[in-house]
Amino acid sequence: MASEGLAGALAAVLGGQGLSVHSCDSEPTGEPLAPVRLRKDVCYVVLAVFLNEQVSVRPPGPAPGPPQRAASPDGVRGTAGNSHHLSKCKEGYIAERDSRDPQAHKGQLPGELHRLRCAPDEVLLIQEAKKECRGSWYLPAGRMEPGETIVEALQREVKEEAGLHCEPLTLLSVEERGPSWIRFVFLARATGGILKTSKEADAESLQAGWYPRTSLPTPLRAQDILHLVELAAQYRQQARHPLLLPQELPCSLVCQRLVATFTSVQTVWVLVGTGGMPHLPITACGFTPMEQRGGIKMAILRLLQECLTLHHLAVETKGLLGLQHLGKDNADGICLNVLVTVAFRNPGMQSEPPKVRGENFFWWKVMEEDLQSQLLQRLQESSVVPVNR
């Protein structure tokens, strides 16, 4: 791949797209690489955060008793114990109609509903039915099943637990406990369905409901959702990274494609692998006890250690630029496109990247102004999806 090919690959990754994974530049030692299998080698979990800036609405003319409610496109309003049908308003809101009063809006078009006032932000929670946490509250979440894409798994879990159809808006964060357990957290919006009530309680959940972010029901199944709800609210207020969704591309391993950068003044270098055509290097995650304990960053450090002298360097994983997974035809692996910085611990007058050992890698100086500008902006603003452990 000439510099034009490298520029195209880098542009694709910065744009959240995926690239085919053909081989890896770094593999764990003493561990044969084999395709990973969901529920055998790896567990992927999906979780959705729904935020609803609530809006009360009424038809024009005299107020007809209790007002009907509508929600922004990011959520659907419902009250536990009541059944609501959803209809799309011209303004783009999802309006609710109480099924017990089908005549409430007879003769009125949904588009004629008027906004009256905004209520505080709310978050969608489900009440757990599982024996070990029955009665506690949590965000809609669950394990992926074999044969599912990440988005399909998210939509299934939300439908089962909350009764709603949905679409993901963006990946908010990725959480990992080593490569064998990874959770994908999404900001999502409801697109239809009927909010699950206690009358529809089953093995998936007891009910679902909207609650103010500042006054969540108790007990919570775990406190970790508090950070995720705030992360979603912050993103809604000011997005730190572009909208990002998984790309449906097959991968047999859990691996990471590195955009490993070195910067000096306004110049950026990117580490490139030379095996075959020049490419952004890929490192396979291992499942040894050491790599499990150290998390997915161990695979990054392993690759860099194979070509750089790390004791005088500072390496930082900034976060994700993209994610690819298919889940079909036994392709249960994932590839995370990761932005990494390499810097001297004592910069001094160092204006060139650290020397590369061997012939398997080299530093590519990014000359394209647009790519250089994008990289610098993503680095300076940490404009990436965070990876948490």
Side-chain angles (χ1 to χ4, degrees):
M1 185 187 297
S3 61
E4 293 82 4
L6 285 171
L10 180 57
V13 170
L14 288 173
Q17 301 175 38
L19 300 170
S20 297
V21 176
H22 299 294
S23 61
C24 294
D25 299 273
S26 177
E27 300 176 359
T29 56
E31 181 183 350
L33 277 185
V36 298
R37 291 289 177 264
L38 198 62
R39 296 297 182 92
K40 179 183 178 183
D41 311 299
V42 293
C43 174
Y44 303 143
V45 178
V46 291
L47 181 148
V49 184
F50 293 81
L51 293 180
N52 182 20
E53 289 184 353
Q54 195 56 33
V55 181
S56 293
V57 299
R58 67 172 174 81
Q68 302 301 304
R69 292 180 174 179
S72 72
D74 296 357
V76 181
R77 175 65 174 177
T79 305
N82 291 336
S83 177
H84 292 81
H85 295 302
L86 306 178
S87 59
K88 192 79 173 184
C89 295
K90 289 179 181 177
E91 292 90 342
Y93 297 111
I94 297 175
E96 297 179 8
R97 297 184 179 186
D98 195 322
S99 62
R100 297 168 300 180
D101 185 14
Q103 302 298 316
H105 293 293
K106 187 175 182 180
Q108 297 284 357
L109 294 175
E112 294 175 312
L113 298 178
H114 288 183
R115 287 187 293 172
L116 293 180
R117 61 182 174 81
C118 290
D121 282 356
E122 295 175 320
V123 61
L124 178 67
L125 296 181
I126 61 99
Q127 192 172 34
E128 296 284 5
K130 294 186 286 292
K131 182 179 179 181
E132 62 271 19
C133 55
R134 187 178 180 86
S136 61
W137 295 85
Y138 206 66
L139 295 167
R143 296 181 180 183
M144 288 178 56
E145 300 287 349
E148 289 183 314
T149 68
I150 295 174
V151 170
E152 287 171 347
L154 184 80
Q155 292 171 330
R156 174 184 54 78
E157 286 291 345
V158 171
K159 184 67 172 65
E160 290 175 350
E161 296 189 345
L164 302 180
H165 304 293
C166 74
E167 64 177 5
L169 298 175
T170 186
L171 190 65
L172 276 179
S173 74
V174 170
E175 301 167 332
E176 54 99 2
R177 301 174 189 167
S180 63
W181 189 94
I182 300 176
R183 183 164 76 171
F184 307 103
V185 179
F186 289 89
L187 176 63
R189 56 173 283 178
T191 58
I194 300 175
L195 194 65
K196 191 174 188 177
T197 71
S198 57
K199 294 180 180 179
E200 290 85 49
D202 56 21
E204 300 297 337
S205 69
L206 300 180
Q207 61 180 320
W210 292 96
Y211 292 89
R213 288 197 293 119
T214 55
S215 182
L216 298 181
T218 57
L220 296 178
R221 185 182 113 189
Q223 298 293 310
D224 62 338
I225 66 171
L226 298 177
H227 165 71
L228 300 179
V229 171
E230 288 309 306
L231 184 65
Q234 292 168 11
Y235 189 91
R236 278 269 296 266
Q237 186 174 17
Q238 184 175 3
R240 288 190 59 184
H241 58 80
L243 296 175
L244 181 66
L245 293 175
Q247 299 297 299
E248 294 183 5
L249 287 171
C251 186
S252 62
L253 307 171
V254 177
C255 59
Q256 298 172 82
R257 177 181 288 108
L258 304 190
V259 179
T261 62
F262 177 87
T263 60
S264 175
V265 192
Q266 292 297 304
T267 305
V268 185
W269 287 263
V270 171
L271 190 68
V272 170
T274 61
M277 297 294 287
H279 59 275
L280 298 174
I282 295 177
T283 179
C285 294
F287 293 85
T288 63
M290 184 179 72
E291 295 219 8
Q292 289 283 16
R293 288 193 302 270
I296 62 175
K297 69 177 183 181
M298 295 297 293
I300 297 174
L301 294 175
R302 178 186 357 103
L303 182 144
L304 295 178
Q305 201 162 30
E306 291 170 0
C307 61
L308 302 173
T309 303
L310 293 186
H311 71 268
H312 65 295
L313 299 175
V315 175
E316 180 183 1
T317 300
K318 304 295 284 186
L320 294 191
L321 296 166
L323 159 68
Q324 53 194 74
H325 167 270
L326 185 60
K328 311 292 184 183
D329 302 321
N330 296 318
D332 292 334
I334 59 171
C335 181
L336 307 174
N337 295 330
V338 184
L339 182 61
V340 177
T341 59
V342 177
F344 289 102
R345 294 185 185 275
N346 300 303
M349 299 298 291
Q350 300 280 0
S351 60
E352 297 287 324
K355 185 177 180 180
V356 173
R357 299 195 309 267
E359 299 179 351
N360 294 331
F361 301 91
F362 69 89
W363 288 105
W364 166 49
K365 188 175 182 178
V366 180
M367 302 298 293
E368 292 79 357
E369 291 186 7
D370 180 55
L371 287 178
Q372 190 176 100
S373 175
Q374 286 188 59
L375 272 173
L376 289 171
Q377 181 262 329
R378 303 293 286 268
L379 289 166
Q380 292 164 2
E381 300 178 11
S382 293
S383 181
V384 289
V385 173
V387 179
N388 299 312
R389 180 165 171 76

